Amino acid sequence: MEEQTEHKYLPNYLEYRGKYKGLAGWLTTTDHKRIGLLYFYSMMVFFLAGVVMGILMKLELISPGEQIMGAQVYNGLFTLHGLTMIFLFVIPGVAAVYGNFFLPILIGAKDVSFPRLNLMSWYLYIIGAIVVLTSQFMGDGPPDTGWTFYAPYSLKTQTNVVAAVTGAFILGFSSILTGLNFIVTMHRLRAPGMGWLRMPLFAWALYGTGWIQLLATPIVGITFLMVIAERLLGIGFFDPAIGGDPILYQHLFWIYSHPAVYIMILPAMGAITEIIPTFARKTIFGYTAIVISSMAIAFVGYFVWGHHMFTSGMSSTSRWVFSLLTFLVAIPSAIKVFNWTATLYKGSINIKTPFLWAICFIFVFMIGGFSGLVLGSLATDIHVHDTAFVVAHFHYIVFGGTGFAFFAALHYWYPKMFAKVYNPKIANLGLFIFFVGFNLLYFPMFYLGMIGMPRRYYDYLPMFHNANILSTIGSWIMATGLLIVIINLVRARRGTGKEVNDPWDGKTLEWTIASPPIVENFEEIPVVDHGPYEY
Amino acid sequence: METITTHQHADLHRDDTAAKLGMWLFIFTEILLFGGLFIVYSVYRFKNPVAFELAHEELSITMGFINTIILLVSSATVAISITAMQKNDRKITLAMLGITLLLALVFLINKYFEWGGKFEHGMYPGSELMKNLSNGDMLFFSLYFFMTGLHGVHILIGMILLGITLVKVKTGAVNSGKYALLENSGLYWHLVDLIWIFLFPLFYLIH
Amino acid sequence: MSDEKIHISPYKSHIMVLLGLIVLTVITVLITSVEMGPYNTTAAMIIASIKGAIVLLYFMHLRFDQKIYGIMVAIVVAIFAAVIVVTFFDYLYR
């Protein structure tokens, strides 16, 4: 973002050379597009590591008894898998990668409001990741508490909880600063003529997300600090032996971690909302309804945390209150699904890879959503609580939701980000295999949960064997699909693509500029005189 | 085109309203950070009303009162320094910032003696005395040390911010045409005061 | 670049606000020594909230700033209050 004197040729963000060249140029960049890619590459590393851990766990579960690891290793592995996937992949996920890359472009700005703070967020993310990962190698062994760090076990276990919790705290900081940056950007840097109700819906989703990041993350931050203090300083907050209330820990943890689910899913929904109208060749159905539902999800989602605690010993009053609120939050989510399908109705649908990913997203997201209602109602939750059913549910939501949207967005914006074209046939094949594998992997777990298989054990009774075999095979198929998808994209990145500015005939601002975008995005800040999706 | 581009570029790097909005958003996260502690406090006080009331008698109302007044005055001096800056009166700005920093230091010294007194009686995190406290007392003093300690950390951060501002006012980098840093450090300092306004009655004035 | 009109609070108003805050602090200390049962805490919290509001409105300038800041503060405080209420659905009825 150095000043430019040459105006005849505007270098794009990939080849631009600032003060430093090469890697140093990337590590000192304040360009939101480069920061988006920094997130992208680091996140992919963590994601693939998390996938490998998942496959190893599934391999362990292929038969009853110890296959490739014992109980303690398995406990450490599901903790690390959770930490990696939740804190390093899905929470920053769509927002940090595509939010950074596209938010300023979508609202017609040259960058975010605080570019240097933006870079600092990425560094905090990396530092946090390193601290989390060192917990595996330092001290007294990898944490075995699960990513939830429930007290009092997290206070008593001899494993290295402090490092993992500290890392999560730092990651929270990174998340807060990103949200802050995006909110200010949307308040201050919208292009002339772009009123709030002309903002693309991805931007609106990021706005809601930003507020959750700001208001929910500090609560878990302070909770983690209390756990650290309790472990290190010998003071007491949550240990029942000194009068503390472990359920209060659960309250505080979920006051953040439930809204965190919306930090994961809102930007994902936003990305899908960009993709659907582009390929339906039709304006989005119910723009205002989607805006309101985004904000409603952000708001109501703040008050449903207790549905993670129905069996914890909470009062019965708060159980039905939380159950009621949980059903309420299903409404705005459903509104979005109705809007997407209504947009498709009578559209001139252009079936391309991003569209297929988006459709698969809606499919798995709906399965995840409906199974969520089973967990949200008190009676049925008691039956399936802490079983494989829960694991299946949140993988359908978090992986099926955010993960599918992540790849949908990647295939959608890939030509803009890199100015390269991937092979659509291989991409579709990869998606197909991935989709089949995904469902084969997680769907049997609904069944397993219903018949009573508990989660978080390396071993199980022989009665659960058949479905587990299916599930493990599914994990292999899914990994194959994922590999095909990724190799296809990597090959495209290396290949010689043609520079197409608007491959999908999209109408939002990112399609009006060059691919790859120039350093300052726009040669001239656009003046906006219509809504985002006018076909 | 050139002039416009460079002009907008300059704008991008100087948006006082954005800086202020950013500061407010950060203040919200700070409020929620302490908010989490207030939730813990209210739950445990609700569960141990008698223990909390008895335990609080170990704290000196006088100390708490003096520190409250110190913070209130320092908040006023920061506010005055901003007014002075807007009136382009650098001398008063500097003097007021100096007084604020001094008061912050006095607050910390006070705190040092308050905590020091507790430590002398063997009451500190991890001490034998503290480990053997009854349940409610343990929670009270854990919260007391943690919350006032975290508040103290915020005093330090505020002092660093104000100190940087002071230096920049001296060098002229912060001036009557460009004082967003002063305003934002001021906002942060008021937040520190705001939190103390609630900590004081919750720890020192339980009845 | 700031598109807000600048409101300069006079020195005098800061002093008045400070005096008001000190008076409220004295009142809150005095009120603690009066026996009012559970209302002691209520009174202390009401006074603290008034003091907080004064700091927000005058020292933190919300009264003179664009409305958006005030709205945001109100929403944040309301959300936090709601979180406490919802949490207490557990502890009040357990």
Side-chain angles (χ1 to χ4, degrees):
Chain A
M1 298 302 296
E2 303 301 313
E3 55 195 80
Q4 291 183 331
T5 41
E6 274 294 318
H7 276 269
K8 283 169 209 135
Y9 174 70
L10 297 163
N12 72 49
Y13 78 103
L14 289 169
E15 59 191 21
Y16 173 73
R17 270 190 51 184
K19 222 181 198 170
Y20 306 97
K21 61 178 177 179
L23 190 64
W26 280 81
L27 293 178
T28 56
T29 185
T30 52
D31 184 337
H32 65 99
K33 300 180 285 300
R34 286 190 164 201
I35 293 172
L37 287 191
L38 286 177
Y39 272 112
F40 175 68
Y41 290 126
S42 34
M43 225 173 261
M44 284 316 282
V45 171
F46 297 128
F47 170 65
L48 291 176
V51 169
V52 170
M53 290 177 230
I55 290 171
L56 288 176
M57 281 191 287
K58 279 280 114 181
L59 198 57
E60 166 58 33
L61 291 177
I62 195 168
S63 270
E66 184 174 326
Q67 306 300 318
I68 55 168
M69 62 184 93
Q72 191 60 26
V73 178
Y74 188 83
N75 293 350
L77 204 58
F78 73 66
T79 304
L80 187 62
H81 173 78
L83 283 173
T84 311
M85 287 305 207
I86 301 272
F87 288 114
L88 301 181
F89 181 61
V90 282
I91 284 184
V94 176
V97 176
Y98 308 109
N100 260 315
F101 200 107
F102 286 105
L103 174 68
I105 302 179
L106 284 168
I107 63 172
K110 292 182 170 179
D111 208 318
V112 293
S113 275
F114 310 117
R116 277 181 296 180
L117 190 70
N118 202 14
L119 181 64
M120 191 176 119
S121 303
W122 181 74
Y123 274 104
L124 285 174
Y125 168 76
I126 291 297
I127 292 169
I130 291 171
V131 175
V132 167
L133 295 178
T134 49
S135 72
Q136 298 300 307
F137 310 109
M138 313 256 291
D140 307 310
D144 56 353
T145 58
W147 76 282
T148 46
F149 301 112
Y150 268 14
Y153 184 63
S154 60
L155 307 172
K156 299 289 177 200
T157 173
Q158 294 303 310
T159 55
N160 196 3
V161 168
V162 171
V165 166
T166 311
F169 179 80
I170 298 170
L171 290 168
F173 227 91
S174 157
S175 175
I176 288 174
L177 293 180
T178 304
L180 186 153
N181 217 336
F182 286 176
I183 293 177
V184 176
T185 305
M186 275 176 267
H187 272 277
R188 294 299 300 162
L189 294 180
R190 278 170 290 124
M194 178 169 283
W196 282 99
L197 290 179
R198 280 183 185 165
M199 269 203 322
L201 288 159
F202 182 55
W204 265 109
L206 290 173
Y207 190 73
T209 311
W211 275 104
I212 310 175
Q213 286 171 309
L214 277 184
L215 299 185
T217 319
I219 304 261
V220 84
I222 197 67
T223 312
F224 285 166
L225 281 186
M226 280 189 267
V227 170
I228 294 171
E230 191 153 357
R231 278 186 75 100
L232 295 183
L233 299 180
I235 53 181
F237 298 109
F238 302 118
D239 184 357
I242 50 104
D245 181 12
I247 298 178
L248 184 60
Y249 174 87
Q250 296 188 19
H251 275 298
L252 293 167
F253 180 81
W254 289 112
I255 287 177
Y256 165 72
S257 297
H258 193 76
V261 175
Y262 298 101
I263 296 178
M264 306 166 195
I265 201 70
L266 268 180
M269 289 167 155
I272 297 299
T273 316
E274 294 297 315
I275 293 169
I276 297 277
T278 303
F279 294 94
R281 318 227 35 74
K282 201 168 149 245
T283 188
I284 190 83
F285 178 87
Y287 174 93
T288 326
I290 296 184
V291 170
I292 294 171
S293 70
S294 284
M295 297 312 283
I297 288 177
F299 181 74
V300 184
Y302 209 91
F303 298 102
V304 301
W305 74 83
H307 64 218
H308 296 268
M309 304 161 55
F310 284 157
T311 60
S312 69
M314 208 167 50
S315 82
S316 52
T317 310
S318 61
R319 270 185 274 172
W320 71 254
V321 169
F322 279 123
S323 185
L324 178 71
L325 290 168
T326 302
F327 281 103
L328 286 183
V329 86
I331 297 171
S333 310
I335 287 176
K336 283 181 187 270
V337 176
F338 293 143
N339 279 303
W340 293 325
T341 43
T343 306
L344 294 176
Y345 181 65
K346 287 194 174 171
S348 325
I349 295 172
N350 180 15
I351 299 179
K352 290 278 162 58
T353 313
F355 179 77
L356 292 172
W357 274 98
I359 293 297
C360 291
F361 164 90
I362 295 179
F363 180 82
V364 291
F365 180 71
M366 272 173 57
I367 295 181
F370 286 136
S371 60
L373 293 179
V374 175
L375 294 165
S377 52
L378 288 174
T380 43
D381 178 72
I382 307 271
H383 180 62
V384 290
H385 187 84
D386 262 349
T387 65
F389 189 94
V390 178
V391 181
H393 158 70
F394 70 70
H395 278 89
Y396 264 94
I397 288 285
V398 174
F399 191 10
T402 311
F404 272 71
F406 188 91
F407 285 103
L410 184 58
H411 285 90
Y412 180 55
W413 279 316
Y414 192 90
K416 180 57 61 185
M417 292 162 80
F418 303 111
K420 296 283 169 66
V421 180
Y422 51 82
N423 182 329
K425 278 185 188 147
I426 299 179
N428 291 350
L429 176 75
L431 166 62
F432 177 74
I433 297 173
F434 181 82
F435 180 75
V436 170
F438 178 92
N439 285 293
L440 192 62
L441 164 55
Y442 295 116
F443 205 84
M445 292 170 82
F446 281 126
Y447 167 73
L448 284 169
M450 297 291 280
I451 60 171
M453 179 176 153
R455 63 189 281 208
R456 289 182 170 174
Y457 285 95
Y458 79 110
D459 194 4
Y460 53 82
L461 296 173
M463 64 182 285
F464 304 126
H465 193 186
N466 291 343
N468 266 305
I469 295 177
L470 274 185
S471 180
T472 304
I473 293 173
S475 76
W476 301 336
I477 298 176
M478 193 189 77
T480 313
L482 188 63
L483 221 57
I484 294 173
V485 167
I486 289 174
I487 289 172
N488 185 38
L489 292 175
V490 172
R491 274 185 54 204
R493 180 84 179 83
R494 293 220 176 125
T496 51
K498 39 188 175 168
E499 301 200 357
V500 196
N501 288 347
D502 190 2
W504 321 116
D505 197 14
K507 295 294 180 202
T508 35
L509 283 176
E510 79 270 36
W511 304 114
T512 64
I513 60 172
S515 299
I518 59 170
V519 174
E520 299 204 324
N521 301 340
F522 301 94
E523 288 175 42
E524 199 177 329
I525 291 293
V527 176
V528 181
D529 55 5
H530 56 77
Y533 314 102
E534 296 205 343
Y535 283 93
Chain B
M1 222 27 254
E2 265 97 322
T3 48
I4 292 173
T5 323
T6 44
H7 178 66
Q8 280 174 336
H9 210 138
D11 283 351
L12 255 186
H13 287 270
R14 173 80 197 286
D15 184 349
D16 290 350
T17 309
K20 188 158 130 192
L21 180 59
M23 191 39 138
W24 268 108
L25 296 181
F26 188 69
I27 283 174
F28 296 156
T29 73
E30 291 277 19
I31 290 177
L32 267 294
L33 189 81
F34 277 92
L37 285 169
F38 282 118
I39 294 174
V40 176
Y41 174 91
S42 52
V43 167
Y44 286 154
R45 179 159 169 194
F46 175 76
K47 294 181 80 163
N48 310 282
V50 180
F52 267 51
E53 192 180 333
L54 292 177
H56 105 278
E57 283 170 11
E58 305 280 321
L59 306 182
S60 151
I61 295 188
T62 323
M63 280 286 209
F65 180 75
I66 293 172
N67 263 352
T68 309
I69 301 297
I70 288 172
L71 273 194
L72 290 176
V73 174
S74 74
S75 241
T77 50
V78 162
I80 291 172
S81 81
I82 293 172
T83 300
M85 182 54 94
Q86 288 165 330
K87 292 185 173 172
N88 204 6
D89 193 337
R90 252 186 66 199
K91 252 188 191 159
I92 296 189
T93 308
L94 285 171
M96 286 299 148
L97 280 176
I99 294 175
T100 311
L101 279 171
L102 209 66
L103 288 169
L105 199 64
V106 175
F107 179 95
L108 286 181
I109 292 171
N110 229 340
K111 193 99 258 170
Y112 171 79
F113 282 115
E114 199 188 336
W115 275 35
K118 298 269 166 312
F119 284 26
E120 257 171 42
H121 291 99
M123 175 68 90
Y124 53 89
S127 70
E128 279 310 305
L129 178 66
M130 188 138 173
K131 274 179 188 156
N132 293 324
L133 285 177
S134 68
N135 287 352
D137 292 347
M138 174 71 174
L139 293 171
F140 179 85
F141 282 105
S142 295
L143 281 167
Y144 166 75
F145 281 120
F146 196 77
M147 288 176 89
T148 56
L150 191 68
H151 181 261
V153 171
H154 281 76
I155 296 260
L156 278 176
I157 299 170
M159 284 174 77
I160 292 169
L161 272 177
L162 289 171
I164 292 171
T165 315
L166 183 81
V167 172
K168 289 209 168 177
V169 173
K170 251 188 186 152
T171 59
V174 170
N175 53 54
S176 61
K178 184 186 171 201
Y179 57 91
L181 180 67
L182 175 63
E183 245 188 328
N184 290 337
S185 313
L187 279 176
Y188 193 84
W189 191 252
H190 295 311
L191 167 81
V192 174
D193 184 22
L194 195 64
I195 291 166
W196 185 259
I197 285 178
F198 285 90
L199 286 182
F200 174 56
L202 287 178
F203 280 104
Y204 296 83
L205 301 179
I206 303 177
H207 191 84
Chain C
M1 183 182 78
S2 173
D3 44 28
E4 294 171 51
K5 271 183 262 164
I6 295 172
H7 170 276
I8 303 180
S9 317
Y11 294 134
K12 208 176 138 197
S13 84
H14 292 315
I15 303 289
M16 297 306 286
V17 170
L18 174 63
L19 288 177
L21 287 169
I22 292 178
V23 168
L24 283 169
T25 311
V26 173
I27 291 177
T28 191
V29 172
L30 290 179
I31 229 170
T32 323
S33 50
V34 185
E35 184 59 58
M36 297 198 299
Y39 296 108
N40 276 104
T41 313
T42 319
M45 286 330 287
I46 288 175
I47 294 177
S49 304
I50 295 172
K51 282 165 71 182
I54 292 174
V55 169
L56 281 164
L57 285 173
Y58 292 94
F59 282 168
M60 295 174 96
H61 228 252
L62 279 183
R63 215 191 129 189
F64 314 107
D65 266 334
Q66 285 178 335
K67 278 207 182 92
I68 184 83
Y69 300 106
I71 294 170
M72 284 179 176
V73 171
I75 291 175
V76 170
V77 171
I79 287 182
F80 176 63
V83 167
I84 289 200
V85 170
V86 174
T87 309
F88 267 82
F89 276 127
D90 182 7
Y91 291 95
L92 283 176
Y93 299 103
R94 201 188 277 175

